[in-house]
């Protein structure tokens, strides 16, 4: 078990327990066409309200124009590391359903699709790191995203590299313990704030 593995009260599927968001990516790694299509299929087959599939994705491979345009929109802190990833995937959500009414669940659905892509990356032996730190309007302009579509996230995908290869200011974060709010403060029953009454000591 990797030290990055989630410390869960009982076992969960290894793909979920072992997924994490690294910053150190292998700058020499390239993604195969089959791996790429596998990631895209995982996202495409996500569930969505009324099967509306509000997501669209802009996909760049390191070295191509799309990658460069997405990379250039990233906040400085993300530009420190994300340029070694093999793939940058921008997720965009349609703001309206096909009948023209507002799609209130578009961000929810698109997040599900990105989540599936992230888990599939892990299943392929790759890693994914989602980012909200990018300039949405710059992305819209750079990649001709039409009105009615809202950029939501950029996900870096690639092969893991050693934490030592990161700039010093990022190294500690790469190896710090992964943490989550406790179960009892997250899952309620019989009223808000009441921990769900279940034993979770294994
Ligand atoms: C919507 C979203 C936006 C995020 N934005 C950033 C970001 O801009 N920069 C960054 O380094 N990490 C970002 N992250 C990664 C989170 O910090 C990370 O998922 C969280 O700390 C939990 O770590 P884990 O994924 O390793 O479990 C983002 C994650 C999500 C889901």
């Amino acid at each position: 078990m990797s030290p990055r593995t989630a410390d869960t009260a009982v076992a969960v599927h290894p793909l979920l327990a072992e997924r994490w968001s690294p910053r150190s990516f292998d700058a020499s790694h390239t993604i195969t066409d089959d791996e790429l299509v596998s990631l895209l299929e995982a996202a495409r087959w996500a569930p969505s309200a009324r099967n509306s599939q509000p997501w669209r994705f802009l996909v760049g491979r390191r070295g191509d124009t799309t990658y460069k345009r997405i990379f250039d929109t990233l906040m400085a802190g993300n530009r420190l590391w994300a340029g070694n990833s093999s793939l940058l995937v921008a997720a965009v959500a349609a703001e309206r359903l096909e009948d023209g009414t507002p799609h209130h669940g578009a961000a929810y659905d698109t997040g599900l699709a990105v989540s599936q892509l992230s888990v599939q990356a892990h299943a392929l032996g790759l890693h994914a790191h989602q980012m909200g730190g990018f300039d949405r309007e710059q992305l819209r302009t750079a990649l001709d995203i039409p009105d009615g579509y809202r950029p939501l996230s950029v996900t870096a995908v690639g092969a893991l590299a050693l934490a030592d290869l990161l700039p010093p200011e990022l190294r500690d974060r790469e190896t710090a313990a992964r943490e989550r709010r406790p179960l009892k403060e997250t899952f309620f029953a019989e009223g808000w704030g009441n921990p769900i009454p279940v034993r979770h000591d294994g």
Side-chain angles (χ1 to χ4, degrees), residues 51-129:
N51 201 19
S52 54
Q53 307 163 66
W55 49 73
R56 301 289 187 280
F57 295 95
L58 292 146
V59 182
R61 296 164 105 156
R62 196 178 55 252
D64 72 18
T65 309
T66 307
Y67 186 102
K68 165 126 185 44
R69 288 184 182 166
I70 297 174
F71 179 81
D72 286 346
T73 71
L74 298 179
M75 299 298 168
N78 290 328
R79 268 188 274 128
L80 284 176
W81 57 269
N84 286 342
S85 66
S86 310
L87 215 59
L88 287 175
V89 182
V92 177
E95 289 171 329
R96 295 190 174 272
L97 291 159
E98 283 191 354
D99 65 8
T101 57
H103 192 328
H104 298 297
Y108 184 99
D109 292 347
T110 303
L112 286 175
V114 176
S115 178
Q116 294 208 172
L117 180 150
S118 299
V119 174
Q120 184 63 23
H122 196 83
L124 294 170
L126 302 171
H127 284 74
H129 191 142

Side-chain angles (χ1 to χ4, degrees), residues 19-21 23 78 81 129-133 178 180:
R19 180 217 59 81
W20 65 289
S21 305
R23 291 184 175 80
N78 290 328
W81 57 269
H129 191 142
Q130 298 175 55
M131 291 168 274
R178 295 180 57 231
R180 289 297 188 269

